[in-house]
Amino acid sequence: PRSTGNAVKFSPNGTEIVVGTDGTGFQDTYPFSSTGFGTKYSNPSSAFPGNINDFAFSPDGDQIWVAHDSSPYVSGYDWSNSGWGSKYSNPGSLPAGNGEGVDVNSNASYLVLGHASSPYAAIYAISGSGFGSKSANPSTLPAGTAKSAAFSPAGTEVVIGGASPYAEAWAVSSGAWGAQLTDPPSAPYVGVEGIAFSNDGDYIFCAHAWSPYISVYAWSASGFGAKVTNPGTLAAGGGSDVCLSTTGNEVFLSHSTSPYVSAWKWTGSAF
Protein backbone atom coordinates (compact mmCIF):
# COMPACT_ATOMS: atom_id res chain seq x y z
CA PRO A 1 0.00 0.00 0.00
CA ARG A 2 1.11 3.52 -0.84
CA SER A 3 0.87 5.17 2.59
CA THR A 4 -0.39 4.89 6.17
CA GLY A 5 -3.09 2.24 6.49
CA ASN A 6 -6.23 3.65 8.12
CA ALA A 7 -8.66 0.80 7.45
CA VAL A 8 -8.57 -2.78 6.21
CA LYS A 9 -11.27 -5.30 5.34
CA PHE A 10 -11.63 -8.72 3.76
CA SER A 11 -14.44 -9.28 1.29
CA PRO A 12 -17.08 -11.69 2.69
CA ASN A 13 -15.63 -14.68 0.83
CA GLY A 14 -12.10 -13.82 1.95
CA THR A 15 -10.63 -13.68 -1.56
CA GLU A 16 -10.00 -9.92 -1.70
CA ILE A 17 -8.54 -7.44 0.77
CA VAL A 18 -8.98 -3.67 0.63
CA VAL A 19 -6.78 -1.16 2.47
CA GLY A 20 -7.73 2.48 3.09
CA THR A 21 -4.81 4.91 3.15
CA ASP A 22 -4.02 8.60 3.39
CA GLY A 23 -2.06 8.69 0.12
CA THR A 24 -3.39 9.88 -3.25
CA GLY A 25 -5.88 7.30 -4.50
CA PHE A 26 -6.68 6.53 -0.84
CA GLN A 27 -7.05 2.76 -1.26
CA ASP A 28 -5.16 -0.29 -2.45
CA THR A 29 -6.99 -3.53 -3.22
CA TYR A 30 -5.57 -7.01 -3.78
CA PRO A 31 -6.72 -10.58 -4.42
CA PHE A 32 -5.86 -12.80 -1.47
CA SER A 33 -5.39 -16.57 -1.13
CA SER A 34 -3.63 -19.11 1.06
CA THR A 35 -0.37 -18.07 -0.64
CA GLY A 36 -0.85 -14.41 0.28
CA PHE A 37 -1.33 -11.23 -1.71
CA GLY A 38 -1.91 -11.24 -5.46
CA THR A 39 -1.45 -8.49 -8.04
CA LYS A 40 -3.02 -5.17 -7.06
CA TYR A 41 -6.37 -4.44 -8.69
CA SER A 42 -7.05 -1.33 -10.75
CA ASN A 43 -8.27 1.69 -8.83
CA PRO A 44 -11.97 2.55 -9.06
CA SER A 45 -12.77 4.67 -12.09
CA SER A 46 -14.34 7.27 -9.79
CA ALA A 47 -11.60 8.21 -7.32
CA PHE A 48 -12.07 9.04 -3.66
CA PRO A 49 -11.75 12.69 -2.58
CA GLY A 50 -10.00 12.09 0.76
CA ASN A 51 -8.60 9.69 3.33
CA ILE A 52 -10.56 6.46 3.78
CA ASN A 53 -11.48 5.69 7.39
CA ASP A 54 -13.65 2.58 7.16
CA PHE A 55 -15.19 0.01 4.79
CA ALA A 56 -18.28 -2.16 4.97
CA PHE A 57 -19.22 -4.93 2.53
CA SER A 58 -22.76 -6.06 1.93
CA PRO A 59 -23.15 -9.59 3.33
CA ASP A 60 -23.35 -11.14 -0.15
CA GLY A 61 -20.21 -9.33 -1.25
CA ASP A 62 -21.81 -7.50 -4.18
CA GLN A 63 -21.34 -3.99 -2.78
CA ILE A 64 -18.77 -2.01 -0.80
CA TRP A 65 -19.49 1.13 1.21
CA VAL A 66 -16.78 3.58 2.21
CA ALA A 67 -16.50 6.26 4.92
CA HIS A 68 -14.03 8.97 3.95
CA ASP A 69 -12.87 12.54 4.50
CA SER A 70 -14.20 15.23 2.15
CA SER A 71 -17.64 15.47 0.53
CA PRO A 72 -19.70 13.34 -0.09
CA TYR A 73 -18.21 11.63 3.04
CA VAL A 74 -19.74 8.24 2.19
CA SER A 75 -19.64 6.37 -1.14
CA GLY A 76 -20.90 3.06 -2.48
CA TYR A 77 -19.67 0.85 -5.35
CA ASP A 78 -20.53 -2.40 -7.02
CA TRP A 79 -18.05 -5.12 -6.06
CA SER A 80 -16.95 -8.43 -7.58
CA ASN A 81 -13.96 -10.75 -7.43
CA SER A 82 -12.38 -8.39 -9.96
CA GLY A 83 -12.51 -5.56 -7.43
CA TRP A 84 -14.16 -2.18 -7.79
CA GLY A 85 -17.17 -1.70 -10.06
CA SER A 86 -19.35 1.31 -10.84
CA LYS A 87 -19.84 4.05 -8.27
CA TYR A 88 -23.38 4.74 -7.09
CA SER A 89 -24.87 8.20 -7.13
CA ASN A 90 -24.17 10.14 -3.95
CA PRO A 91 -26.86 10.23 -1.26
CA GLY A 92 -29.54 12.82 -1.91
CA SER A 93 -28.95 14.21 1.58
CA LEU A 94 -25.23 14.20 2.38
CA PRO A 95 -23.75 13.56 5.83
CA ALA A 96 -22.74 16.66 7.75
CA GLY A 97 -19.02 15.91 8.01
CA ASN A 98 -16.14 13.51 7.44
CA GLY A 99 -17.21 9.85 7.44
CA GLU A 100 -15.46 7.97 10.24
CA GLY A 101 -17.20 4.60 10.62
CA VAL A 102 -19.65 2.67 8.44
CA ASP A 103 -21.63 -0.55 8.76
CA VAL A 104 -24.39 -2.39 6.88
CA ASN A 105 -27.14 -4.44 8.50
CA SER A 106 -27.43 -8.18 7.95
CA ASN A 107 -29.86 -8.00 5.01
CA ALA A 108 -28.12 -5.04 3.33
CA SER A 109 -31.19 -2.80 3.54
CA TYR A 110 -29.67 -0.04 5.72
CA LEU A 111 -26.32 1.62 6.23
CA VAL A 112 -25.21 3.52 9.33
CA LEU A 113 -22.47 6.16 9.14
CA GLY A 114 -20.68 7.85 12.03
CA HIS A 115 -19.33 11.27 11.08
CA ALA A 116 -17.54 14.32 12.39
CA SER A 117 -20.23 17.03 12.59
CA SER A 118 -23.68 17.24 14.18
CA PRO A 119 -25.89 15.17 14.06
CA TYR A 120 -22.83 12.84 14.13
CA ALA A 121 -24.61 9.77 12.72
CA ALA A 122 -26.90 8.94 9.80
CA ILE A 123 -28.86 5.94 8.59
CA TYR A 124 -29.59 5.49 4.88
CA ALA A 125 -31.75 2.98 3.06
CA ILE A 126 -29.64 1.06 0.54
CA SER A 127 -30.38 -1.40 -2.25
CA GLY A 128 -28.71 -2.96 -5.27
CA SER A 129 -29.09 0.45 -6.92
CA GLY A 130 -27.22 2.33 -4.19
CA PHE A 131 -28.40 4.94 -1.72
CA GLY A 132 -32.01 5.57 -0.85
CA SER A 133 -33.47 8.08 1.56
CA LYS A 134 -31.83 9.25 4.78
CA SER A 135 -33.73 8.52 7.99
CA ALA A 136 -34.77 11.36 10.28
CA ASN A 137 -32.12 12.10 12.91
CA PRO A 138 -32.42 10.46 16.33
CA SER A 139 -34.33 12.54 18.87
CA THR A 140 -31.29 12.34 21.15
CA LEU A 141 -28.11 12.90 19.13
CA PRO A 142 -24.76 11.25 19.82
CA ALA A 143 -22.62 13.26 22.24
CA GLY A 144 -20.00 14.25 19.65
CA THR A 145 -17.89 13.13 16.69
CA ALA A 146 -18.62 9.46 15.97
CA LYS A 147 -15.40 7.50 15.39
CA SER A 148 -17.16 4.17 14.85
CA ALA A 149 -20.62 2.83 14.04
CA ALA A 150 -22.12 -0.66 14.03
CA PHE A 151 -25.38 -2.55 13.77
CA SER A 152 -25.99 -5.35 16.23
CA PRO A 153 -26.18 -8.79 14.55
CA ALA A 154 -29.98 -8.64 14.79
CA GLY A 155 -29.99 -5.22 13.11
CA THR A 156 -32.35 -3.86 15.76
CA GLU A 157 -29.77 -1.70 17.54
CA VAL A 158 -27.04 0.74 16.47
CA VAL A 159 -23.93 1.54 18.51
CA ILE A 160 -21.94 4.75 18.02
CA GLY A 161 -18.46 5.28 19.48
CA GLY A 162 -17.53 8.90 20.15
CA ALA A 163 -17.64 11.51 22.89
CA SER A 164 -18.40 10.78 26.56
CA PRO A 165 -19.86 8.29 27.53
CA TYR A 166 -17.73 7.11 24.58
CA ALA A 167 -20.16 4.43 23.40
CA GLU A 168 -23.90 5.01 22.94
CA ALA A 169 -26.69 2.85 21.59
CA TRP A 170 -30.13 3.28 20.02
CA ALA A 171 -32.95 0.97 19.04
CA VAL A 172 -33.69 1.01 15.30
CA SER A 173 -36.63 -0.33 13.33
CA SER A 174 -36.93 -0.34 9.52
CA GLY A 175 -34.15 2.23 9.39
CA ALA A 176 -35.79 4.61 11.86
CA TRP A 177 -33.96 5.69 15.00
CA GLY A 178 -35.80 4.73 18.17
CA ALA A 179 -35.14 5.27 21.85
CA GLN A 180 -31.63 5.66 23.21
CA LEU A 181 -30.61 2.55 25.15
CA THR A 182 -28.67 1.93 28.35
CA ASP A 183 -25.15 3.39 28.43
CA PRO A 184 -22.20 1.23 29.51
CA PRO A 185 -22.19 0.82 33.32
CA SER A 186 -18.55 1.97 33.33
CA ALA A 187 -17.33 4.11 30.44
CA PRO A 188 -14.78 2.53 28.05
CA TYR A 189 -12.15 5.26 28.56
CA VAL A 190 -12.19 7.77 25.70
CA GLY A 191 -13.78 7.54 22.28
CA VAL A 192 -14.38 4.04 20.98
CA GLU A 193 -12.45 3.60 17.73
CA GLY A 194 -13.65 0.10 16.87
CA ILE A 195 -16.69 -2.06 17.63
CA ALA A 196 -17.33 -5.77 17.19
CA PHE A 197 -20.06 -8.12 18.38
CA SER A 198 -19.67 -11.73 19.45
CA ASN A 199 -21.04 -14.20 16.92
CA ASP A 200 -24.07 -14.88 19.11
CA GLY A 201 -24.72 -11.17 19.64
CA ASP A 202 -24.52 -11.48 23.43
CA TYR A 203 -21.37 -9.37 23.89
CA ILE A 204 -19.97 -6.15 22.44
CA PHE A 205 -16.24 -5.42 22.14
CA CYS A 206 -14.96 -1.83 22.19
CA ALA A 207 -11.43 -0.73 21.20
CA HIS A 208 -10.37 2.56 22.81
CA ALA A 209 -7.35 4.79 23.41
CA TRP A 210 -6.84 4.51 27.17
CA SER A 211 -6.10 1.51 29.37
CA PRO A 212 -7.36 -1.24 29.39
CA TYR A 213 -7.58 -0.49 25.62
CA ILE A 214 -10.37 -3.02 25.09
CA SER A 215 -13.64 -3.22 27.02
CA VAL A 216 -16.31 -5.89 26.66
CA TYR A 217 -19.91 -5.72 27.83
CA ALA A 218 -22.87 -8.03 27.87
CA TRP A 219 -25.34 -6.98 25.17
CA SER A 220 -29.12 -7.21 24.77
CA ALA A 221 -31.96 -5.32 23.11
CA SER A 222 -31.82 -3.00 26.14
CA GLY A 223 -28.26 -1.98 25.34
CA PHE A 224 -25.08 -2.37 27.37
CA GLY A 225 -25.03 -4.80 30.28
CA ALA A 226 -22.37 -5.74 32.83
CA LYS A 227 -18.71 -5.20 31.96
CA VAL A 228 -16.59 -8.31 31.49
CA THR A 229 -13.40 -8.58 33.54
CA ASN A 230 -10.45 -7.11 31.62
CA PRO A 231 -7.94 -9.53 30.06
CA GLY A 232 -5.26 -10.71 32.48
CA THR A 233 -2.57 -9.35 30.17
CA LEU A 234 -3.42 -5.98 28.63
CA ALA A 235 -2.38 -4.75 25.21
CA ALA A 236 0.67 -2.49 25.02
CA GLY A 237 -1.10 0.68 23.83
CA GLY A 238 -4.21 2.44 22.68
CA GLY A 239 -6.75 0.27 20.87
CA SER A 240 -7.80 1.32 17.37
CA ASP A 241 -9.91 -1.59 16.10
CA VAL A 242 -11.19 -4.98 17.21
CA CYS A 243 -12.49 -8.14 15.56
CA LEU A 244 -13.22 -11.77 16.33
CA SER A 245 -12.17 -14.85 14.40
CA THR A 246 -14.83 -16.54 12.30
CA THR A 247 -15.27 -19.19 15.01
CA GLY A 248 -15.69 -16.49 17.65
CA ASN A 249 -13.06 -18.17 19.85
CA GLU A 250 -10.36 -15.52 19.49
CA VAL A 251 -10.32 -11.71 19.85
CA PHE A 252 -7.86 -9.47 18.00
CA LEU A 253 -7.01 -5.86 18.88
CA SER A 254 -4.94 -3.47 16.77
CA HIS A 255 -3.16 -0.86 18.88
CA SER A 256 -0.68 2.02 18.87
CA THR A 257 2.39 0.41 20.46
CA SER A 258 4.55 -2.57 19.47
CA PRO A 259 3.65 -5.36 18.73
CA TYR A 260 0.68 -3.36 17.30
CA VAL A 261 -1.71 -6.31 17.37
CA SER A 262 -2.70 -8.55 20.30
CA ALA A 263 -4.91 -11.61 20.57
CA TRP A 264 -6.71 -13.46 23.35
CA LYS A 265 -8.77 -16.60 23.61
CA TRP A 266 -12.48 -15.89 24.12
CA THR A 267 -14.49 -18.48 26.05
CA GLY A 268 -17.87 -17.18 24.89
CA SER A 269 -18.29 -14.96 27.93
CA ALA A 270 -14.78 -14.04 29.16
CA PHE A 271 -11.17 -13.52 28.12
Side-chain angles (χ1 to χ4, degrees):
R2 70 197 73 198
S3 188
T4 301
N6 299 326
V8 62
K9 196 79 71 176
F10 278 106
S11 63
N13 63 11
T15 57
E16 300 90 34
I17 189 169
V18 59
V19 182
T21 74
D22 60 6
T24 301
F26 303 112
Q27 61 72 43
D28 291 288
T29 306
Y30 307 84
F32 196 83
S33 70
S34 59
T35 59
F37 289 90
T39 302
K40 181 182 176 293
Y41 288 126
S42 299
N43 293 330
S45 57
S46 181
F48 293 100
N51 297 350
I52 290 174
N53 298 316
D54 201 11
F55 301 102
F57 282 94
S58 60
D60 63 6
D62 289 344
Q63 298 171 301
I64 185 171
W65 309 89
V66 188
H68 51 82
D69 295 349
S70 302
S71 182
Y73 309 117
V74 62
S75 299
Y77 292 77
D78 285 324
W79 182 266
S80 72
N81 59 11
S82 299
W84 300 89
S86 300
K87 182 181 183 294
Y88 302 129
S89 297
N90 295 331
S93 177
L94 296 185
N98 291 349
E100 301 286 348
V102 63
D103 195 25
V104 174
N105 70 347
S106 59
N107 65 5
S109 56
Y110 293 99
L111 172 152
V112 61
L113 179 78
H115 53 80
S117 300
S118 182
Y120 305 116
I123 292 176
Y124 292 89
I126 55 172
S127 70
S129 302
F131 290 97
S133 59
K134 177 181 178 292
S135 300
N137 295 330
S139 56
T140 301
L141 300 183
T145 295
K147 302 295 291 183
S148 52
F151 281 102
S152 66
T156 52
E157 301 92 34
V158 161
V159 180
I160 300 293
S164 180
Y166 309 122
E168 300 175 276
W170 286 260
V172 293
S173 177
S174 300
W177 297 88
Q180 191 169 10
L181 303 177
T182 305
D183 286 339
S186 56
Y189 307 103
V190 186
V192 168
E193 303 275 347
I195 298 167
F197 284 89
S198 61
N199 292 6
D200 59 13
D202 289 342
Y203 291 88
I204 183 171
F205 298 75
C206 300
H208 48 82
W210 288 3
S211 181
Y213 311 120
I214 183 171
S215 294
V216 184
Y217 302 86
W219 181 261
S220 72
S222 299
F224 291 89
K227 186 177 185 293
V228 172
T229 301
N230 295 332
T233 302
L234 300 185
S240 56
D241 206 359
V242 60
C243 70
L244 278 76
S245 62
T246 53
T247 63
N249 296 327
E250 296 85 26
V251 181
F252 298 85
L253 179 75
S254 60
H255 50 81
S256 60
T257 304
S258 180
Y260 307 113
V261 63
S262 297
W264 297 265
K265 288 289 187 180
W266 177 252
T267 68
S269 60
F271 286 100

